[in-house]
Amino acid sequence: MLAHLSISNFAVVKQLSIHLENGLTAITGETGAGKSIAIDALSLCLGERADANAVRKGTAKAEIIAHFSLCNNALAKAFLDEHELTSDEDENSCFVRRVISKEGRSKAFINGIPASLQQLKGLGQYLLAIHGQNTHLQLLKEEHQRQLVDSYAKHAPLLEEVGRAFAVWKDKQKTLKDLQAQAQQREDRLQLLTYQVQELDEFAIEEGEFEELEVEHKRLSNGQSLLEQAQRSVYNLYESDEGNALSVIQSSIERLGELEAHDAHLTPIISLLNDAAIQVEEAAGELRSYCDHLEIDPLRLQQVEARYAKAMELARKHTVMPEELFHHHQALTAEFNALGEQESLLGTLETEVEEVRKQYLHATTQLSESRCNAANKLASDIESQIRQMNMPHAKVNIDVLYDELKKPVSTGLDTIEFKVSTNPGQDADKLEKVVSGGELSRIGLAIQVIASDNHATPTMVFDEVDTGISGPTASIVGGLLRKLGKQAQVMCVTHLPQVAAQAHNQLFVTKVTDGESTETQMLALTKQDRIDELARLLAGDKVTKSALANAKELLKSAASN
């Protein structure tokens, strides 16, 4: 619950410090006195955006501090723990501070720790709910009506299941549409690849084959020259009778050997010549073997030339280097196979899309059944409540219309309509066509009372939700708010004495001016103060004895409930 609210330099408030109690607290005051300022300040503590206009004229900043008691509020404690915002001093207390500079800059703190607006909003949903003057207009919107039924039904798992099924269906549909949209492009590419891959398959070049063809082609093309030069080299090195390299070296070895005894410096030279003789002889042997095995095959040359030329032709056709032809063939084959798999996937995906569509429809059917059950009970509860608020002949229907042909959404295929009949013999119709502003306020209040039984927010604030209500109806509305105040902390800005009298506590808002500046103050009323204020609300500016007597009677009657 909200235990204390401190406001400094906010709008027309210079300094305000309010202690709040349990039960129903009525906030009254003259028109224009600033009864809604506390609500505006609390809205900022819940993450609403602020601007420089919120700062009191002539001051540097506005500051709002709200102190909440977290006793029996496990959800708020869990949020603080999750975001590491728990108070070190008292886990059952939470301080929310908002500071707005005159330049419009804003800072937020939770238990003294800097916090984002998103964190304020996240925490705020577990602390306080504000129902403004226009809140009931939300009832006219189909989306809000659906949320009310879903909240009343408490079928979050069904909603999550529908949401998941919708997400899967939407994702597979997108993939299917993308594949279908690319079908013609894919078919054209497949036709081209079929020809290209078949041509390369027939040629079947191996990795590194082109380089080997190039080497072999050079050897075969120059075979005769290679043979002639190799044979001549053998002749010159070893076979020539007129003088070959080996015989020249051997002759030099013999002559130098005769002189070696006269000069030892010739010994290493003779050794080198012996090595040279051995190498010449080995080279001659290798050349003979080369000549014996050198193949001069015109047919093989023709085959190599043909394959070499074909490789060059395919390389030009595919605009790649001949050396890259093998890898290009592998890449085209992989692309061809991948496109073929996509064609196969298309058929599989069509089956999967139909399957997840059935899953989505099954989930939405279950959700619709749950909504129908909840709608009937909620309609009965609302009808019961508003009949107590001077709408004795009211009938409420909540239609849940399931339509498979409706555009699928993550919240199902239902159209939900709140319909009301306020007079006997009148057909139930949509709210906007039947109810007046006051009747809409009563229906909205009834829903809030019903909703409080399901998931009570510790603190509920109503800003003149009794607009358009008067007389006996106002007393009934006040009684409902008092009943609500027994389950949660309720604050209500009101101008109706029948509502204010039902409050457990009452705050009075007044505006004070010295001719140069204006200041709003909020005072807690004693029992006598309450009688005087109720009398003012009953009689206007001129309070009569009759008004005071009526005020006392109102308080006495409320206290007996």
Side-chain angles (χ1 to χ4, degrees):
M1 60 168 279
L2 178 62
H4 184 267
L5 180 65
S6 173
I7 305 173
S8 300
N9 299 322
F10 178 68
V12 293
V13 173
K14 183 177 181 180
Q15 185 67 45
L16 193 63
S17 182
I18 315 167
H19 290 277
L20 286 309
E21 304 292 340
N22 280 319
L24 171 61
T25 298
I27 302 174
T28 61
E30 296 180 357
T31 301
K35 294 189 294 295
S36 298
I37 282 182
I39 296 176
D40 295 336
L42 286 172
S43 296
L44 290 174
C45 287
L46 298 182
E48 289 294 322
R49 294 194 175 277
D51 55 46
N53 293 329
V55 181
R56 181 178 171 84
K57 186 177 180 181
T59 61
K61 65 180 181 179
E63 182 180 60
I64 301 152
I65 302 174
H67 172 209
F68 294 91
S69 171
L70 301 184
C71 294
N72 302 320
N73 194 338
L75 293 175
K77 289 181 180 179
F79 182 92
L80 293 174
D81 288 341
E82 180 183 350
H83 293 83
E84 299 181 350
L85 296 168
T86 303
S87 171
D88 294 332
E89 299 177 0
D90 183 2
E91 65 173 10
N92 288 320
S93 288
C94 176
F95 289 85
V96 178
R97 177 171 171 247
R98 189 82 183 271
V99 180
I100 304 106
S101 71
K102 64 180 181 180
E103 293 81 19
R105 292 189 294 272
S106 170
K107 293 180 181 179
F109 304 86
I110 297 175
N111 289 325
I113 304 170
S116 66
L117 294 187
Q118 194 64 34
Q119 287 175 319
L120 286 186
K121 290 179 180 179
L123 175 62
Q125 65 182 318
Y126 305 122
L127 298 176
L128 185 144
I130 297 176
H131 305 279
Q133 297 179 40
N134 297 321
T135 300
H136 298 326
L137 295 178
Q138 296 291 321
L139 283 173
L140 303 179
K141 298 180 180 180
E142 180 186 329
E143 175 69 13
H144 187 67
Q145 294 176 3
R146 178 190 61 75
Q147 290 173 353
L148 285 173
V149 172
D150 287 339
S151 177
Y152 184 83
K154 298 181 181 178
H155 50 207
L158 286 176
L159 283 167
E160 291 173 1
E161 184 179 350
V162 170
R164 283 193 299 269
F166 175 75
V168 173
W169 184 20
K170 187 176 181 181
D171 182 63
K172 287 189 177 293
Q173 275 188 318
K174 183 180 183 303
T175 304
L176 179 61
K177 286 180 180 179
D178 290 344
L179 285 174
Q180 289 173 336
Q182 299 165 5
Q184 186 59 51
Q185 181 181 356
R186 189 167 55 251
E187 184 179 346
D188 294 342
R189 182 63 177 164
L190 271 172
Q191 288 181 352
L192 176 62
L193 287 175
T194 300
Y195 167 74
Q196 291 180 328
V197 171
Q198 182 179 356
E199 185 179 44
L200 290 172
D201 282 346
E202 291 174 355
F203 186 62
I205 192 168
E206 299 290 338
E207 186 172 11
E209 181 184 349
F210 181 79
E211 290 84 345
E212 294 175 0
L213 283 173
E214 202 167 28
V215 171
E216 187 176 7
H217 182 265
K218 288 180 181 179
R219 186 176 68 251
L220 290 173
S221 299
N222 298 280
Q224 190 61 44
S225 297
L226 290 171
L227 180 61
E228 290 176 358
Q229 292 302 325
Q231 289 175 340
R232 176 170 294 182
S233 295
V234 172
Y235 180 77
N236 291 332
L237 288 172
Y238 192 80
E239 295 178 346
S240 174
D241 294 334
E242 297 175 358
N244 55 66
L246 181 59
S247 62
V248 169
I249 292 172
Q250 288 175 340
S251 176
S252 297
I253 291 171
E254 290 176 0
R255 288 195 294 272
L256 291 174
E258 294 174 355
L259 300 172
E260 184 179 7
H262 303 297
D263 189 350
H265 288 91
L266 291 175
T267 300
I269 297 174
I270 294 172
S271 177
L272 288 173
L273 287 173
N274 281 321
D275 291 341
I278 293 172
Q279 290 179 345
V280 167
E281 190 170 8
E282 288 179 353
E286 291 293 328
L287 279 173
R288 282 199 200 96
S289 177
Y290 174 79
C291 292
D292 291 340
H293 293 90
L294 184 62
E295 184 180 4
I296 301 177
D297 186 347
L299 179 60
R300 177 57 185 165
L301 175 60
Q302 187 177 7
Q303 292 172 344
V304 170
E305 285 182 338
R307 189 158 181 79
Y308 182 84
K310 183 64 175 178
M312 293 293 291
E313 177 189 344
L314 289 173
R316 284 193 299 270
K317 183 182 291 188
H318 290 268
T319 63
V320 296
M321 297 297 291
E323 296 85 350
E324 299 172 3
L325 199 56
F326 170 79
H327 295 291
H328 180 66
H329 179 199
Q330 302 305 307
L332 291 183
T333 301
E335 183 184 358
F336 178 80
N337 292 335
L339 288 175
E341 289 175 1
Q342 287 184 8
E343 284 295 320
S344 175
L345 176 63
L346 190 61
T348 303
L349 200 55
E350 288 174 346
T351 303
E352 291 179 357
V353 167
E354 179 59 25
E355 182 61 31
V356 295
R357 186 186 78 88
K358 291 178 180 178
Q359 293 174 4
Y360 172 75
L361 292 178
H362 177 70
T364 56
T365 300
Q366 289 186 314
L367 177 62
S368 184
E369 291 175 358
S370 178
R371 281 173 172 166
C372 285
N373 293 331
N376 291 333
K377 294 177 182 177
L378 178 59
S380 177
D381 287 349
I382 294 173
E383 187 175 292
S384 176
Q385 289 287 349
I386 62 176
R387 283 187 174 185
Q388 299 176 38
M389 291 186 279
N390 201 25
M391 295 177 68
H393 304 294
K395 292 183 179 180
V396 179
N397 297 326
I398 301 177
D399 295 338
V400 180
L401 307 174
Y402 182 82
D403 184 5
E404 282 191 14
L405 300 180
K406 184 181 178 181
K407 181 180 178 181
V409 291
S410 61
T411 53
L413 297 173
D414 293 314
T415 298
I416 296 178
E417 294 179 348
F418 280 45
K419 293 183 177 181
V420 175
S421 170
T422 57
N423 299 306
Q426 180 186 52
D427 292 334
D429 207 339
K430 293 182 179 180
L431 293 179
E432 63 268 26
K433 295 182 179 180
V434 176
V435 299
S436 64
E439 289 170 334
L440 185 63
S441 294
R442 278 175 267 177
I443 294 172
L445 184 57
I447 290 174
Q448 295 303 326
V449 173
I450 295 165
S452 69
D453 293 332
N454 286 340
H455 45 77
T457 305
T459 301
M460 303 176 72
V461 181
F462 295 91
D463 186 9
E464 296 193 23
V465 294
D466 49 17
T467 300
I469 298 172
S470 61
T473 305
S475 297
I476 296 170
V477 168
L480 281 176
L481 288 171
R482 186 179 181 90
K483 175 185 175 183
L484 197 58
K486 294 178 181 178
Q487 301 171 1
Q489 183 187 39
V490 178
M491 289 182 284
C492 179
V493 175
T494 182
H495 62 279
L496 297 177
Q498 297 92 333
V499 173
Q502 293 287 348
H504 301 96
N505 319 286
Q506 189 168 345
L507 298 173
F508 177 70
V509 180
T510 184
K511 188 187 298 183
V512 179
T513 180
D514 59 5
E516 295 182 359
S517 63
T518 302
E519 181 181 344
T520 290
Q521 298 178 348
M522 188 175 290
L523 308 172
L525 299 184
T526 63
K527 183 177 180 180
Q528 184 58 49
D529 292 335
R530 290 191 67 186
I531 293 173
D532 294 339
E533 172 61 5
L534 289 176
R536 184 192 68 80
L537 291 173
L538 285 166
D541 293 336
K542 189 175 181 179
V543 177
T544 64
K545 292 182 179 180
S546 175
L548 287 170
N550 287 338
K552 290 180 182 179
E553 186 61 32
L554 281 175
L555 280 177
K556 182 179 179 181
S557 176
S560 64
N561 293 333

